[in-house]
Amino acid sequence: MNFKYDTDLLVLGPAAMLLVLVLRRLFDLPERLPRWNRWLSWLWLPALLAFAYSVVYLRHNSALGEAYMLFVFTVILGTLLRLRSYRPARTLLVGVALVWLKWVIKVGLLLGSYRLLPPYASYYNTGSQLTTLLVIGLLVTARAQKKTLLKEQKQREEEAQARALVAAQNAELERLVAERTAALTQQSEELRKALDDLQTTQSQLIQAEKMASLGELTAGVAHEIQNPLNFVNNFAEVSTELLDELASEQTKPAPDLGLEAELLADLQQNIQKITHHGQRAASIVRGMLEHSRQSTGERTLTDLNALCDEYLRLAYHGLRAKDKTFNATLQTDFAPVLPLVEAVSQDLGRVLLNLFTNAFYAVRQRQQAGEPGYAPTVRVCTKREGDEVVVCVRDNGTGIAEAVQQKIFQPFFTTKPAGEGTGLGLSLSYDIVVQGHDGTLEVESQEGNHTEFVMRLPLFNY
């Protein structure tokens, strides 16, 4: 008896397993459909059993091979339907469905022992070949789609990583900004507190400068007022003696009328001198009161010649009140006819007092250095130049270095030793002249030789 193996299973089985292997790798079934992947991994078993059956029972049945392939494509079709949301699977689904339909028709014809008529058999064979080619083409297309999807997925992952990195960097930047903002806020608070402390200190120093100027002015006034008071006291004592002598003469039996007339003339002259010096003391007191009175900021017509002369003597006697050994030559060159200027006299008086005080301080320092033949001299002159009135204060003292001249009007800058100056006198003077009176205040100096301050004020004619 002739025995024939079921060769259809020998061919179709490996072909089906190869197709399944391709599909498992193409669609990543172990990750996407683990259960279906396990079923597909066992599709070779039915083919092996059918082949064993044909060997054991010596029966050849081609329907087994056809039915096996129908079973394989049924499982593949079900797998693709489960993956229909995946674009490459949708692409291959149509082709597999056509192949599955081909095997359904073929198995149905075998089971019913039917044959297609020649024209339809030719169409069927041609359709089978086309579907096979279609499946191959769709496999290539699905593979290309998978690569595209993987590329897009990788790009999305990279973009997601980039966004995550940007988000992390933004979060880090926000943290750093928050820390920096907190640090800046703290620094701002510290600076605000330092500014408040500085303003408080500045107010105290300004007050100290005012008190120092007032002390110098007071000393000058005290020294200046001492002269008329001495005259008043001396003439009062002499007048008392004359009155006693007159009274004694009048008690005599034969008074000397000529002597009495002479005594009365002396008394009258003394009373006139007492009145003169008393008025002089009163005028000094009035000037002191005007200087100490709070400035209203109202401008009045001011005689700069008189103002310079008054404050020059007050500054000089103020220094002599501190140092009795100090003497200086005062030179004045006032313009004979100097127009009145519109100014706040109290404020300009403070400026002049500060300039004179600094000048006397400079010549005193040079005098104390023991330079042979040195004669302290302070010179004040006034003049008119165009539409301006000019006041020059020059001394032959220690002078100011060129580097220091650039900072001489800065607040809190002083060339005096600690404890002898606040560094606000010239700064306040500069503000009064420049900001308060629309003028200018300049300095020219040669170290070890002289210093000259030039104040210019605009002139207003009426």
Side-chain angles (χ1 to χ4, degrees):
M1 181 177 60
N2 293 328
F3 175 73
K4 182 180 179 181
Y5 292 102
D6 196 344
T7 56
D8 292 341
L9 290 174
L10 291 177
V11 175
L12 295 176
M17 293 308 302
L18 178 62
L19 178 61
V20 169
L21 179 63
V22 171
L23 293 178
R24 289 173 64 191
R25 292 184 178 179
L26 178 62
F27 298 119
D28 301 320
L29 292 182
E31 292 80 17
R32 297 179 181 274
L33 296 174
R35 182 181 298 179
W36 285 76
N37 179 65
R38 287 194 297 271
W39 292 346
L40 289 172
S41 64
W42 290 95
L43 280 180
W44 57 270
L45 186 60
L48 180 62
L49 293 176
F51 180 75
Y53 173 80
S54 64
V55 172
V56 172
Y57 292 99
L58 303 178
R59 294 180 181 180
H60 174 70
N61 189 354
S62 62
L64 288 175
E66 309 294 342
Y68 172 72
M69 293 304 295
L70 177 61
F71 171 71
V72 170
F73 276 95
T74 300
V75 175
I76 293 175
L77 183 63
T79 303
L80 294 177
L81 287 173
R82 294 295 301 271
L83 295 173
R84 59 185 178 275
S85 60
Y86 187 44
R87 189 170 65 183
R90 287 199 307 270
T91 300
L92 190 60
L93 184 59
V94 176
V96 172
L98 292 176
V99 174
W100 176 80
L101 182 60
K102 183 195 78 169
W103 288 109
V104 169
I105 294 173
K106 191 172 184 180
V107 171
L109 291 174
L110 287 174
L111 292 177
S113 299
Y114 298 116
R115 287 178 180 269
L116 293 174
L117 297 176
Y120 298 106
S122 176
Y123 296 152
Y124 176 80
N125 293 333
T126 302
S128 298
Q129 295 174 359
L130 291 176
T131 54
T132 301
L133 294 176
L134 177 63
V135 168
I136 294 174
L138 292 177
L139 278 172
V140 175
T141 303
R143 185 171 181 274
Q145 289 178 343
K146 179 183 178 182
K147 289 183 177 180
T148 302
L149 291 175
L150 289 175
K151 184 177 180 180
E152 293 176 353
Q153 181 181 3
K154 183 178 180 181
Q155 184 176 359
R156 287 194 299 270
E157 290 176 353
E158 291 177 352
E159 291 176 354
Q161 291 177 355
R163 287 194 297 270
L165 180 60
V166 170
Q169 291 176 346
N170 289 338
E172 180 67 15
L173 287 176
E174 290 177 357
R175 184 185 66 81
L176 294 176
V177 168
E179 292 179 355
R180 185 59 177 169
T181 302
L184 289 176
T185 302
Q186 183 179 359
Q187 292 178 0
S188 177
E189 292 297 329
E190 293 176 353
L191 289 175
R192 187 178 294 108
K193 184 177 182 300
L195 179 60
D196 293 339
D197 295 341
L198 181 61
Q199 290 175 343
T200 301
T201 304
Q202 183 179 13
S203 299
Q204 294 174 352
L205 288 173
I206 291 174
Q207 186 64 25
E209 179 67 23
K210 290 182 178 179
M211 294 303 296
S213 298
L214 183 60
E216 293 173 353
L217 180 61
T218 302
V221 169
H223 193 279
E224 184 72 11
I225 206 173
Q226 189 66 40
N227 291 328
L229 288 179
N230 288 336
F231 281 113
V232 169
N233 292 331
N234 292 335
F235 284 115
E237 291 177 0
V238 172
S239 298
T240 301
E241 294 175 357
L242 291 175
L243 285 173
D244 291 340
E245 187 176 348
L246 179 60
S248 176
E249 186 64 28
Q250 289 178 346
T251 57
K252 293 179 179 180
D256 187 351
L257 297 179
L259 180 60
E260 289 181 355
E262 184 180 349
L263 292 174
L264 288 174
D266 291 341
L267 282 172
Q268 185 178 8
Q269 184 179 4
N270 288 350
I271 291 173
Q272 290 176 352
K273 291 183 178 180
I274 290 172
T275 302
H276 170 74
H277 291 289
Q279 291 175 349
R280 172 60 185 157
S283 66
I284 294 174
V285 172
R286 283 195 303 270
M288 176 63 183
L289 292 175
E290 289 179 359
H291 180 82
S292 61
R293 188 179 299 118
Q294 181 68 28
S295 174
T296 61
E298 297 181 359
R299 297 188 181 188
T300 59
L301 294 178
T302 303
D303 184 357
L304 284 182
N305 285 342
L307 203 64
C308 290
D309 183 64
E310 178 182 359
Y311 281 93
L312 176 64
R313 287 184 290 103
L314 290 177
Y316 178 61
H317 293 305
L319 186 57
R320 278 185 51 80
K322 298 178 182 178
D323 185 3
K324 300 295 184 181
T325 64
F326 173 71
N327 287 289
T329 301
L330 306 182
Q331 296 179 355
T332 57
D333 183 12
F334 297 144
V337 182
L338 188 67
L340 301 179
V341 295
E342 189 183 50
V344 183
S345 58
Q346 294 94 331
D347 290 346
L348 286 185
R350 291 188 178 95
V351 174
L352 293 171
L353 181 63
N354 189 274
L355 296 180
F356 295 147
T357 301
N358 287 342
F360 287 125
Y361 178 85
V363 297
R364 179 170 175 264
Q365 292 296 107
R366 185 173 177 183
Q367 183 187 47
Q368 290 178 347
E371 182 178 340
Y374 173 69
T377 304
V378 175
R379 182 175 182 271
V380 185
C381 70
T382 60
K383 57 185 176 179
R384 176 178 178 175
E385 291 183 354
D387 294 333
E388 294 180 329
V389 173
V390 182
V391 178
C392 301
V393 179
R394 183 184 179 94
D395 66 75
N396 62 344
T398 56
I400 305 173
E402 184 176 354
V404 176
Q405 294 180 37
Q406 306 298 325
K407 301 181 288 184
I408 199 68
F409 296 118
Q410 293 182 5
F412 310 110
F413 180 81
T414 179
T415 58
K416 297 179 181 179
E420 294 191 23
T422 61
L424 289 173
L426 289 176
S427 174
L428 292 174
S429 300
Y430 185 85
D431 291 341
I432 290 173
V433 174
V434 176
Q435 299 179 9
H437 292 80
D438 301 321
T440 61
L441 183 60
E442 301 172 348
V443 61
E444 187 276 323
S445 181
Q446 181 179 350
E447 190 173 8
N449 186 278
H450 72 277
T451 299
E452 182 175 18
F453 285 90
V454 180
M455 179 175 64
R456 299 177 183 271
L457 298 174
L459 180 61
F460 299 93
N461 295 319
Y462 294 90

